[in-house]
Each structure stands twice: as C-alpha cells, then as structure tokens.
Amino acid sequence: MTLKSKQLDLSRDVEGTYLFTGQAAQKGYHLNKFCMSLTDPANRDAFHADRAGYMKRFGMSDAEIALVEAHDWLGLLKAGAHHFMVFKVAGALGYNLVATGARMRGETVEEYLATRTVTTLTDKTKDL
Amino acid sequence: MARIIGGLGSPHAPSIGGALDAGQAQTPGWKPLFDGYKVMSDWLAEKKPDVMIVIYNDHGTFFFFDNYPMFAMSVAAEHRIADEGFGKRDLPPLPGDSELAWHLAHSLVDDEFDLTLSQDMPLDHGVLTPVSCVWPHDTGWPGAIIPIHVNVFQFPLPSALRCYKLGQAIRRGVESYDRDLDVVVFGTGGLSHQLQGERFGFNAPDWDQEFLDLIEGDPAALTRLRHQDFIERGGSDSVESIMWLIMRGALSEKVNRVHRNYYLPMHTGFAQVIFEDTETPPDGSRVGKAA
C-alpha cells in the first residue's frame, strides 16, 4: 500500500533522491543507531579497534556491514540510513562532505568541485 | 511586558562554524558570508536583545528515532556543546532562560502546540553555527537562548503552514509574559541544497531569491507549498527552510528589512536576513530598559 500524504507525492520519484520516510527509518533503525553511536569518542575508538565486531553489537546485518566497509554511502542511504547519520561514519573513515557527496554522485572530488562556484575551499578540516 | 523586536535568518552549516573557529572569516571564499554576519552582530550589539529563540533542527546528534519529536523546546538553564561525531567545538555552554521557556511552554500548549519539553538538550551545529557567528563568546554569551527543534529529518514533517502558525503562537506567548524583555526569533537553515543521493549538490539560486522575496513580503504564499514542492524546487534538504517560517510567523505582518545577503559557494544556498518588527518601537527604547 502506498502511503497517502498531503505533503509528499510518494508516487513521484525525484531522481537521485532517497527521502527519509518513517518506513526508511524503521528499516535502517539499527544502522542509524550504530551511526549515531559515533558521537561518543570512546565509541569511535572502539569502532576503529574492531569495526565489524563493533557494528555487530548494534544488530547490523552482514550486508549492512559490507556497505560500510565498501564506503558505499549511496548503498547506506538505500538501506535506510539518514544522510546525516552516514556523514558520521564517513567522517570516521576519513571522508569530508565533499568526498562523501562526490562518491554519492559517482564522481571524483575533482569532478564534483569542477561543478561548484568556489572550488578552492576544501581546506584541511572543513568544507562549505 | 516582553516583546519581539525582530527576526534573523541564517544558514547553520557546520562548515561555517568551522571556518569561524579556524580564523578563516576573512579569506576570499568566506568573506562574502562573514561580511553579512558582521551586519547581524552589529545589529544585535545595538539592540541588545535579552533572549534569542533559535529555531533549528538536531542532526542525529541528540534526538534519535526511538522517540523523535516533531517540535521540542528546551527549558534548560544551560546548554551543553554536543559532539556530533567529529569532536566538540570549543565554545562556552549557552545559557537558557528557564522562566520564559516554561511560560512559553504553558502558552504554546494552551494554544494547541503540544511540544516536547527538554531539560537537557545538548546543541549541535543547528544552533551553534548561527549563534556563534552573530554573538561574541570569548567570555560567555551576551544573552540567553531558547532553542526549539523542528523535525525536518524523518517524514512526516510538520507542514509549512504549521510552522508559520507556531511562530504566531510564539509571538502570543512572548507578548503574554510580564517580565520586561526584548526577544529576537532566529530562523536557521540553508535554502536550496541537497546533501544526499546522486542529486547531491543540487541548487536553485533563482528559487532562493524568490523565497527571500516571499519570506519578507508574502509568507502566506510559502505556507501553501508542500514539502514535495520544496524538495523538487530546492533539493531535499531545502525543506528545512520551513523553519524560517516560524521566525516569520512570530513577526508583524509588515517587516522592515535591514539586511539581506545571499552566497552560494559550494553545496548550499546561504542566506541571511534581519527583519525588524514594525509593531514595536524601531529604536529599541522602552520603559525600564537600561541605557
């Protein structure tokens, strides 16, 4: 059954867009819980020490763990992760926002930056 | 009596706070935005509001999907700085105003806005970026904040109209408070942007300019838009601009715009505004206010 909403037209796909509906949130519950746990520095250390073991503690499936290990940010969205949750994992694995976004687009960082107004602001720590 | 003297609008991207902390505000890439923050901080330094009601969303930092509030207001006396996954910003804790917050809680619930009340609400970039860019904070903060979190994260979200009406209810709440306070409402969030999917990086600068015209002169037109419209016109993350409607709903029907700035450097349409309320004395003077 398709959900009815006055605010969303769920029969109409916006290309390249994965809306975080309540049902996606339910599907990705464990995944998102794992991602959010990385807001604690001790958990980040535990994740780095034993990534698969750490993720299993959250009830994640082997397929979900494989998506993280493959840095498959788009796959995580499709599995029900909210993108701001994905950013926490991507950040822990060394991806800033530009790198994460470029990968979702299927582009290199250089290719993505070539489409932007300001291309010189990806400094060491932060980007726009 | 407390009163609303104006509204502010600002993006809340974490990169902006990072640039501020790293001393990059005057670099060529950031200057167009931080020149705008100078106007905003000067305005606040002149008007000296006692309280800022900051409309923002948490970003998977504090609220989780086990219990996800549509609207949540802090009644805390102080707000911790949250770690979002990348370490905490070195900022002093932000003072709240519990007495006004509890008054607002009663007023809003009486007014049929049954929001979640939070006594411990650590803050992420949704609040920290805009507030740190407009208020000095080397030695504490010049005023108190009352943060109100809005669900722009997990559908279903509150409608644009609902947000506007919440702003109107906030105004009634402030104006029914008998302490003598000047209050500013701060709407935060980026305009066009999408930070997910193959459509990552989508922007719509023309629509952003139209949004800025409408939020000032015809906010009712924005309240008629569906989330689907925001998503298609401005990218999926631009739906958070419904939070600006809470700010606008709290203001007089006509506003005096004293600042408007727009800058689209990379992923997000960054916009800033200052709207002065036209139903309060524009010079900020009032009985009992210390010079």
Side-chain angles (χ1 to χ4, degrees):
Chain A
M1 190 185 82
T2 308
L3 282 176
K4 292 188 180 67
S5 164
K6 289 183 181 173
Q7 293 288 325
L8 291 177
D9 184 349
L10 293 166
S11 66
R12 186 177 154 108
D13 268 341
V14 181
E15 202 179 339
T17 302
Y18 305 89
L19 293 185
F20 193 73
T21 59
Q23 285 164 314
Q26 208 159 10
K27 179 167 97 175
Y29 190 85
H30 298 294
L31 189 51
N32 285 309
K33 191 143 196 162
F34 148 67
C35 296
M36 190 172 176
S37 75
L38 300 177
T39 57
D40 182 333
N43 290 342
R44 296 199 286 274
D45 290 345
F47 172 62
H48 287 303
D50 172 17
R51 289 199 301 270
Y54 182 80
M55 288 188 272
K56 278 190 179 150
R57 278 170 40 195
F58 290 84
M60 283 168 61
S61 68
D62 289 344
E64 289 169 333
I65 291 171
L67 291 172
V68 172
E69 290 299 337
H71 304 177
D72 186 350
W73 315 135
L74 203 55
L76 286 172
L77 296 181
K78 293 175 185 171
H82 191 286
H83 52 289
F84 271 95
M85 297 298 193
V86 172
F87 298 156
K88 297 181 198 304
V89 186
L93 294 173
Y95 285 71
N96 67 9
L97 185 59
V98 169
T100 309
R103 198 166 170 83
M104 286 184 189
R105 286 162 60 109
E107 293 175 348
T108 64
V109 166
E110 291 69 28
E111 285 166 344
Y112 175 60
L113 287 177
T115 68
R116 304 292 101 185
T117 311
V118 176
T119 60
T120 55
L121 284 172
T122 50
D123 74 348
K124 319 77 341 246
T125 51
K126 298 279 181 182
D127 52 60
L128 288 166
Chain B
M1 188 185 90
R3 61 187 191 158
I4 289 175
I5 61 166
L8 305 177
S10 166
H12 62 216
S15 56
I16 302 170
L20 178 72
D21 293 350
Q24 297 170 343
Q26 292 306 308
T27 58
W30 284 108
K31 193 174 186 316
L33 188 69
F34 279 92
D35 283 353
Y37 282 127
K38 174 78 166 57
V39 177
M40 298 174 77
S41 55
D42 285 351
W43 185 86
L44 288 168
E46 185 200 331
K47 301 294 181 187
K48 296 185 175 57
D50 303 287
V51 178
M52 284 206 288
I53 298 173
V54 185
I55 315 300
Y56 84 110
N57 70 285
D58 180 80
H59 296 80
T61 304
F62 177 60
F63 292 115
F64 188 63
F65 310 119
D66 49 355
N67 298 287
Y68 205 80
M70 284 291 154
F71 296 111
M73 183 171 68
S74 167
V75 293
E78 188 172 273
H79 302 92
R80 296 184 283 141
I81 309 302
D83 184 335
E84 311 186 31
F86 318 105
K88 291 182 192 182
R89 285 183 66 191
D90 183 18
L91 297 171
L94 275 145
D97 185 329
S98 298
E99 196 182 308
L100 174 57
W102 280 114
H103 166 83
L104 279 177
H106 278 274
S107 174
L108 289 169
V109 173
D110 286 349
D111 230 343
E112 301 179 357
F113 282 90
D114 311 316
L115 29 64
T116 299
L117 299 173
S118 184
Q119 297 196 31
D120 182 19
M121 198 154 119
L123 300 173
D124 74 8
H125 64 266
V127 167
L128 300 180
T129 287
V131 174
S132 66
C133 286
V134 300
W135 256 355
H137 49 270
D138 287 342
T139 54
W141 300 88
I145 63 164
I146 297 179
I148 299 179
H149 155 89
V150 180
N151 173 25
V152 293
F153 228 59
Q154 174 186 261
F155 290 94
L157 317 182
S159 69
L161 178 61
R162 185 71 174 153
C163 288
Y164 188 68
K165 287 179 174 176
L166 174 58
Q168 293 174 320
I170 288 171
R171 184 183 187 92
R172 289 191 288 274
V174 168
E175 291 184 340
S176 62
Y177 187 57
D178 52 16
R179 245 162 81 209
D180 192 21
L181 294 178
D182 281 354
V183 177
V184 163
V185 182
F186 203 164
T188 75
L191 300 193
S192 67
H193 66 307
Q194 174 156 338
L195 301 180
Q196 54 117 323
E198 294 92 336
R199 201 177 179 226
F200 184 104
F202 179 83
N203 295 116
D206 292 343
W207 161 238
D208 289 343
Q209 293 300 336
E210 192 182 339
F211 177 93
L212 288 170
D213 291 341
L214 293 171
I215 194 88
E216 178 184 338
D218 188 10
L222 293 175
T223 68
R224 289 190 286 271
L225 296 181
R226 302 167 305 155
H227 299 141
Q228 186 82 22
D229 302 317
F230 283 99
I231 291 162
E232 293 186 15
R233 290 184 197 189
S236 59
D237 288 82
S238 77
V239 75
E240 74 186 20
S241 57
I242 61 174
M243 295 191 290
W244 284 50
L245 279 166
I246 300 176
M247 172 271 285
R248 187 62 184 87
L251 302 180
S252 49
E253 190 178 329
K254 291 214 182 333
V255 291
N256 177 27
R257 167 166 57 81
V258 296
H259 177 55
R260 171 168 162 170
N261 186 29
Y262 181 79
Y263 184 49
L264 200 177
M266 192 163 284
H267 317 294
T268 302
F270 292 153
Q272 301 162 329
V273 298
I274 303 173
F275 295 149
E276 291 181 345
D277 203 278
T278 59
E279 291 172 17
T280 52
D283 62 358
S285 65
R286 62 187 162 83
V287 177
K289 176 97 170 174

